[in-house]
Amino acid sequence: MILSALATSVGINLALTLLLAAAYTLLRRRPAYVEVYSPRRPYAPLEPWLCAAWRRSEEDVHAAAGLDGVVFVRIFVFSIRVFTAAAVLGVGVLLPVNFLGDQLREIDFTDLPDKSIDLFSVSNVQDGSNKLWLHFSAVYIITGIACYLLYHEYKYISGKRLEYFMTSKPLPQHFTVLVRAIPVTNGCSVGDAVDKFFKEYHSSTYLSHTVVHQTGKLRRLLNDAENICTKLTSLKYVRRSSGDPPRKFLGLFGRNDLHEKYQKRLEDLEESVRMEQSDATRRQEIPAAFVSFRSRYAAANAIYIRQSDKPTEWQTEHAPDPHDVYWPFFSTSFMERWISKFVVFVASILLILVFLLVVGFVQGLTYMEQVEKWLPFLKNILEIAIVSQLVTGYLPSVILHFLSSYVPSIMKLFSTMQGFVSVSGIERSACNKMLRFTIWTVFFANVLTGSALAQVEIFFDPKEIPSRLAVVVPAQASFFIAYVVTSWTSITSELTQTAALLCHLWGKFAKCCKRDDSRAPSMPYHSEIPRILLFGLLGLTYFIVAPLILPFVLVYFCLGYFIFRNQLFNVYAPKYDTGGQFWPVVHSTTIFSLVLMHIIAIGVFGLKKLPLASSFLVPLPVLTLLFNEFCRNRFLPIFQAYSAESLIKKDREEQSKTEMAEFFSNLVTAYSDPALKPIQRSSNSDERTTPLLSSA
């Protein structure tokens, strides 16, 4: 890519970023769009969003989005600190050294726009030049800075997690365990077996239990009832908003006819739901139960001490928050979940293979010769300078961004099929899947596909990995720089909530449906965290190879910091709070990015005929991995379980509080399946805001 093509891409994305930010600033002030841009705080006074995002403290973020929200913002804080230092080193020191080299061609400032951006990469430094020791020093410096900040963040967030636990009010999940594989003898129910077992072996601490029932059919009926309710609400909304008398289609069917049809269907479904509920409570028990204890320490003992001499029976695990339980999990058998895991494995491989084909096509667009070969009839148009710059510098990254946006929902579906007991467990699994998929398909697949040789066998010869990566990674620097620049637009579109806005406008102007825009969505951590970590990986791996990428990465993180702080307050409502358990994923991925940077640097110095620098870099990935192991031993256990010291101290603090009696009384029914709760028709006359079907 030539410099003018990069400038074109930067100009387009900068203009789109400013345009989207301006559109958001204007639209958020219109009352008609409050449900889109501020569903959490519809009546809050308006103020400049940038100033508000900057002014709010971390305590405000914690109060609005929980500890997961704090961790999410800290990812941006950590990244901004690392890449500020990297940009100072890269742009202030390495970039001039690279540009003033003469390995590729003599310097000619008169035709700078038509120069390749490879002139700003390490490829332009003369082989064996002593200037390469600046790059060597920079690798050690940025590794030291990143490791120091990683340690600081891990220590800070683990401390916040302990503080969050010690200052939290009593929560049901701290006193409850999920027990599965409950053995049941003939003539004995699951509830009787649970009650007998825990009264015998946990007599002093056992409180109560809630048996889980098979409610798959019941949930399908409830979903059908909710759909009918939505249609009824839509009919009433259309009638009220239009003010027209009921019309008939071809003189046969009118809104009154549809209303009566849906009303009758809803009454039939309600009766079926009541019959199914009574049947479920009598017969359809499954060998699983939520068992509650009188203290947190007793619940922890039940989890970490094997309950039976038979390891396959009385299996215990952490119970999620009652609102976080994914109830459909219990409606699937063990065999169904096992088959689903196999199907997910196969489907994941197929998805990667399909995406590799897409990446190959996208990479071809970065080479004008390849585009002209594919589309010879457009050769005359492609010879126009601005068109060729758009096709090679802007279009490939836009296509990759667009197609990648559909992957998170697929990964979440895969995780749902695997059988997780909580929504947070599903999203954490989807986050890990999305992270692996993103690193492989967006980074490695682009790097390997971009070369003309068959580079897949690169991993079969470990000794050749550094030298091979040192060749293929710099070759794709221009593509990834354009990809980062295009991300400015994608992250700013988070402000405008483009999809939600279009749905809102469709429902408003078409007058065919009524959307519940007032319900705030939850933060999609499973898609956003992998995306952020990908840009961290790109910035670190190209730190010495192509430091021109660093200011663009830094701009991305700065935009994300302000935009998501605003969204966490105004748009997204927390559906769950894992207590900051996403941070170990961030730490491990950053360590991987650092080690990958070291491997590439070793290969680069080898290719640049500076073997001594390569030899001196060999201890660096080893030291980084040792640092990672130290952090895992020092901090990771805090994210896996609370200590006996914390549990007992917390139990003693609350032992004499009068409100604990009320808490234990509510705990008995906290894990009741919502599908088994009685339903009632709403008596509120405003059907546009109150659902027709609700839990009692």
Side-chain angles (χ1 to χ4, degrees):
M1 181 192 295
I2 61 176
L3 200 59
S4 58
L6 176 61
T8 301
S9 180
V10 172
I12 292 174
N13 284 282
L14 184 59
L16 289 174
T17 298
L18 295 175
L19 180 63
L20 290 172
Y24 169 73
T25 303
L26 294 175
L27 291 176
R28 68 188 289 264
R29 297 181 178 275
R30 302 288 299 275
Y33 303 108
V34 168
E35 293 177 339
V36 176
Y37 295 120
S38 189
R40 289 196 66 183
R41 305 167 67 237
Y43 305 109
L46 286 175
E47 54 183 329
W49 68 272
L50 269 175
C51 297
W54 173 262
R55 190 182 64 255
R56 291 188 176 106
S57 64
E58 191 171 273
E59 287 72 22
D60 296 331
V61 176
H62 192 181
L67 192 55
D68 287 338
V70 173
V71 168
F72 187 69
V73 173
R74 296 297 296 189
I75 299 174
F76 285 104
V77 173
F78 166 77
S79 301
I80 290 172
R81 289 173 176 172
V82 170
F83 285 100
T84 298
V88 170
L89 281 172
V91 178
V93 179
L94 302 183
L95 196 66
V97 171
N98 294 344
F99 182 70
L100 294 176
D102 56 0
Q103 178 76 13
L104 300 180
R105 67 180 68 181
E106 295 293 333
I107 301 174
D108 182 9
F109 291 97
T110 60
D111 193 23
L112 190 60
D114 293 328
K115 300 297 184 184
S116 170
I117 63 172
D118 291 340
L119 293 176
F120 298 92
S121 71
V122 71
S123 303
N124 197 40
V125 180
Q126 194 69 246
D127 291 350
S129 172
N130 287 329
K131 294 179 181 178
L132 289 170
W133 287 104
L134 292 172
H135 297 74
F136 170 86
S137 303
V139 173
Y140 266 94
I141 292 172
I142 201 62
T143 301
I145 292 173
C147 289
Y148 170 78
L149 291 174
L150 275 176
Y151 177 82
H152 170 76
E153 292 295 331
Y154 221 152
K155 181 180 180 180
Y156 179 81
I157 293 173
S158 60
K160 278 287 183 181
R161 177 173 167 82
L162 292 176
E163 180 185 348
Y164 163 79
F165 174 74
M166 296 304 296
T167 58
S168 65
K169 62 181 181 180
L171 298 173
Q173 62 267 31
H174 292 162
F175 293 82
T176 306
V177 302
L178 173 61
V179 183
R180 296 160 62 185
I182 300 172
V184 180
T185 58
N186 293 332
C188 179
S189 67
V190 175
D192 293 338
V194 172
D195 199 57
K196 178 181 178 181
F197 181 88
F198 283 93
K199 279 185 177 179
E200 181 175 356
Y201 297 108
H202 300 267
S203 57
S204 61
T205 57
Y206 168 65
L207 177 65
S208 63
H209 71 273
T210 301
V211 177
V212 180
H213 293 80
Q214 177 70 262
T215 56
K217 181 180 178 181
L218 179 57
R219 290 186 181 281
R220 288 191 292 272
L221 291 172
L222 287 170
N223 289 335
D224 291 341
E226 286 293 337
N227 292 333
I228 297 296
C229 287
T230 302
K231 293 177 181 179
L232 280 170
T233 306
S234 299
L235 286 175
K236 292 178 174 60
Y237 172 70
V238 171
R239 183 185 304 172
R240 293 183 181 185
S241 60
S242 63
D244 297 333
R247 299 176 181 176
K248 292 189 176 183
F249 178 70
L250 297 178
L252 298 175
F253 303 104
R255 290 177 190 153
N256 284 338
D257 299 325
L258 287 175
H259 184 275
E260 292 174 1
K261 176 185 175 181
Y262 290 149
Q263 195 76 26
K264 179 65 170 61
R265 176 61 177 158
L266 180 60
E267 291 173 359
D268 293 341
L269 283 171
E270 287 179 346
E271 184 62 27
S272 300
V273 166
R274 293 188 183 96
M275 293 180 61
E276 186 66 25
Q277 284 178 336
S278 62
D279 182 66
T281 54
R282 285 200 312 269
R283 294 189 291 105
Q284 298 179 4
E285 291 184 338
I286 61 176
F290 290 96
V291 180
S292 300
F293 295 84
R294 299 183 183 277
S295 68
R296 298 173 179 84
Y297 183 70
N301 277 336
I303 293 173
Y304 295 107
I305 297 178
R306 184 157 50 87
Q307 298 298 306
S308 172
D309 291 335
K310 298 179 180 180
T312 57
E313 295 180 355
W314 297 103
Q315 297 175 353
T316 57
E317 60 183 273
H318 288 279
D321 182 276
H323 301 290
D324 188 29
V325 177
Y326 184 68
W327 292 101
F329 161 81
F330 298 104
S331 298
T332 57
S333 65
F334 171 80
M335 183 58 65
E336 289 174 332
R337 290 195 295 271
W338 188 88
I339 294 174
S340 295
K341 289 181 179 180
F342 177 75
V343 171
V344 167
F345 175 76
V346 175
S348 299
I349 295 177
L350 293 177
L351 180 63
I352 291 176
L353 293 176
V354 170
F355 216 81
L356 288 177
L357 297 177
V358 174
V359 169
F361 170 75
V362 169
Q363 276 293 335
L365 294 177
T366 61
Y367 302 99
M368 185 54 64
E369 299 81 5
Q370 187 67 49
V371 177
E372 292 176 349
K373 182 179 179 181
W374 287 344
L375 306 171
F377 56 90
L378 295 178
K379 186 174 182 179
N380 293 333
I381 298 177
L382 293 174
E383 289 178 353
I384 302 174
I386 186 67
V387 174
S388 64
Q389 292 170 6
L390 284 173
V391 171
T392 60
Y394 182 68
L395 187 60
S397 54
V398 170
I399 294 175
L400 191 58
H401 271 291
F402 176 75
L403 295 176
S404 298
S405 65
Y406 291 96
V407 178
S409 58
I410 299 175
M411 291 302 179
K412 188 173 181 179
L413 175 63
F414 286 170
S415 294
T416 302
M417 294 171 60
Q418 284 186 292
F420 286 91
V421 73
S422 64
V423 176
S424 60
I426 291 172
E427 295 207 357
R428 286 171 58 197
S429 173
C431 178
N432 290 324
K433 288 184 178 65
M434 190 64 198
L435 184 60
R436 292 191 292 268
F437 178 88
T438 302
I439 291 176
W440 175 252
T441 58
V442 177
F443 180 75
F444 283 110
N446 274 285
V447 164
L448 302 179
T449 305
S451 60
L453 303 176
Q455 296 289 349
V456 178
E457 67 272 12
I458 184 174
F459 299 103
F460 293 101
D461 189 1
K463 294 181 180 179
E464 295 297 321
I465 289 178
S467 58
R468 299 289 287 277
L469 286 178
V471 173
V472 298
V473 170
Q476 298 307 313
S478 59
F479 172 80
F480 284 119
I481 292 175
Y483 183 81
V484 172
V485 171
T486 308
S487 68
W488 296 354
T489 305
S490 65
I491 199 171
T492 310
S493 66
E494 168 66 34
L495 265 183
T496 56
Q497 293 285 298
T498 308
L501 177 62
L502 292 176
C503 290
H504 177 81
L505 293 175
W506 173 258
K508 180 179 179 180
F509 294 109
K511 294 184 178 179
C512 62
C513 60
K514 168 63 177 172
R515 293 181 68 252
D516 187 11
D517 291 323
S518 60
R519 182 180 300 175
S522 61
M523 180 69 199
Y525 293 116
H526 67 287
S527 62
E528 297 302 330
I529 290 178
R531 186 176 303 160
I532 298 168
L533 295 178
L534 171 66
F535 290 108
L537 182 142
L538 293 177
L540 288 174
T541 52
Y542 281 95
F543 170 62
I544 67 163
V545 173
L548 186 61
I549 199 175
L550 297 174
F552 303 123
V553 172
L554 183 59
V555 169
Y556 171 84
F557 287 126
C558 291
L559 285 172
Y561 175 79
F562 286 101
I563 288 172
F564 279 108
R565 279 174 70 92
N566 176 77
Q567 301 299 82
L568 288 173
F569 278 93
N570 296 313
V571 178
Y572 296 119
K575 184 185 295 185
Y576 56 82
D577 194 348
T578 67
Q581 291 190 13
F582 285 103
W583 182 258
V585 177
V586 178
H587 179 92
S588 300
T589 306
T590 306
I591 292 294
F592 171 80
S593 301
L594 287 172
V595 172
L596 185 60
M597 176 186 70
H598 302 154
I599 294 173
I600 294 171
I602 291 172
V604 166
F605 291 128
L607 291 178
K608 302 300 287 185
K609 296 181 174 54
L610 201 67
L612 187 60
S614 295
S615 302
F616 285 163
L617 272 182
V618 170
L620 192 53
V622 177
L623 293 173
T624 304
L625 292 174
L626 288 175
F627 164 78
N628 178 55
E629 190 63 23
F630 167 76
C631 289
R632 283 175 56 85
N633 293 329
R634 171 66 177 82
F635 300 116
L636 187 59
I638 298 175
F639 290 82
Q640 295 173 333
Y642 295 109
S643 66
E645 178 184 2
S646 297
L647 294 169
I648 295 173
K649 185 183 297 184
K650 185 69 172 173
D651 287 335
R652 287 174 178 173
E653 288 178 359
E654 296 175 344
Q655 194 171 16
S656 58
K657 292 184 178 180
T658 55
E659 58 266 23
M660 291 303 295
E662 181 182 358
F663 169 76
F664 286 128
S665 176
N666 295 330
L667 183 59
V668 174
T669 58
Y671 285 91
S672 298
D673 191 338
L676 296 176
K677 294 181 179 180
I679 60 172
Q680 63 180 7
R681 294 286 298 279
S682 172
S683 59
N684 195 315
S685 59
D686 187 4
E687 295 92 344
R688 292 192 303 166
T689 58
T690 305
L692 296 178
L693 198 68
S694 59
S695 298

